[in-house]
Amino acid sequence: MKYGKKYAESVKSYDRAKQYDAQEAVKLAIENAKAKFDETIELHVRLGIDPRQADQQVRGVLVLPHGTGKTKKVLVIAKGERADQAQAAGADFVGAEEMVQKIQTENWFGFDVMITTPDMMGVVGRIGRLLGPKGLMPNPKSGTVTMDVAKAVSEVKAGKVEYRLDKTAIIHCPIGKKSFGVEKILENFNALMDAIVKAKPAAAKGQYVKSVSLASTMGPGVKVNYNKL
């Protein structure tokens, strides 16, 4: 793979094999974000568990102390009072069957998160095959199927992230923007790592956290000394 000039320069600026303390790793990740836009800083955590086992799943949601730096567009599928509450809480789009039909017939996906009330899941389920592959299907575990739609909307707008294990036993999650600076990114990092450690399944054996790294959107990865976390 051929990398760009800025990437190559970043790689030379630090030791890629070394594990850095969290604060130093955050600093390096920010320094290596050399693109002209405000790059996202991402956390990648490899866990020593088997994602194929039902009793070894790691998944949860967390409102980061300083958010992610990205304002997500929220669609709420609800009726009556709940729809009014969602609107008041700042949802970008609110509706019921007509919104589901819009997605179905127009292939419209002008939103980042869908929230719905339990009674509307039957309607939403009709387009599950469209929502699923895009990671947009509402789920009680991620707090997107709930009667308290106002709280759910507020949390998403405040910077709620969902962390979950992928098929290769790695969690990938954004923890802010380069412009946040070291202190805010570090606080978000610590909050997310704390949540991941607390989410350790009872069935997990051996070393739980295998590796931790930080990287900007266009920059190389920086290894974090996870033994000190």
Side-chain angles (χ1 to χ4, degrees), residues 53-93:
Q53 304 301 320
D55 60 355
Q56 294 190 37
Q57 297 301 307
V58 175
R59 179 178 186 175
V61 291
L62 175 74
V63 178
L64 293 173
H66 303 286
T68 62
K70 181 186 177 185
T71 303
K72 292 185 175 179
K73 290 192 174 180
V74 181
L75 164 62
V76 175
I77 304 295
K79 287 183 175 180
E81 186 184 353
R82 304 297 173 191
D84 294 338
Q85 290 170 355
Q87 199 88 55
D92 299 275
F93 311 100

Side-chain angles (χ1 to χ4, degrees), residues 95-179:
E97 284 87 353
E98 75 280 6
M99 297 304 289
V100 171
Q101 191 172 4
K102 183 178 173 72
I103 294 168
Q104 202 166 20
T105 57
E106 299 176 24
N107 201 33
W108 174 75
F109 291 99
F111 56 95
D112 302 299
V113 179
M114 180 190 281
I115 295 166
T116 187
T117 48
D119 58 300
M120 293 301 290
M121 271 303 285
V123 175
V124 173
R126 296 176 201 162
I127 54 169
R129 59 186 177 79
L130 298 175
L131 299 172
K134 294 181 181 291
L136 293 170
M137 187 68 183
N139 188 298
K141 289 182 180 177
S142 62
T144 49
V145 178
T146 174
M147 290 302 284
D148 196 348
V149 289
K151 180 186 176 187
V153 171
S154 298
E155 286 182 345
V156 171
K157 292 291 186 181
K160 184 175 81 170
V161 294
E162 180 181 6
Y163 58 89
R164 62 187 300 181
L165 209 60
D166 69 10
K167 291 177 182 176
T168 60
I170 299 175
I171 290 172
H172 310 271
C173 202
I175 56 169
K177 295 284 187 179
K178 171 188 175 181
S179 59

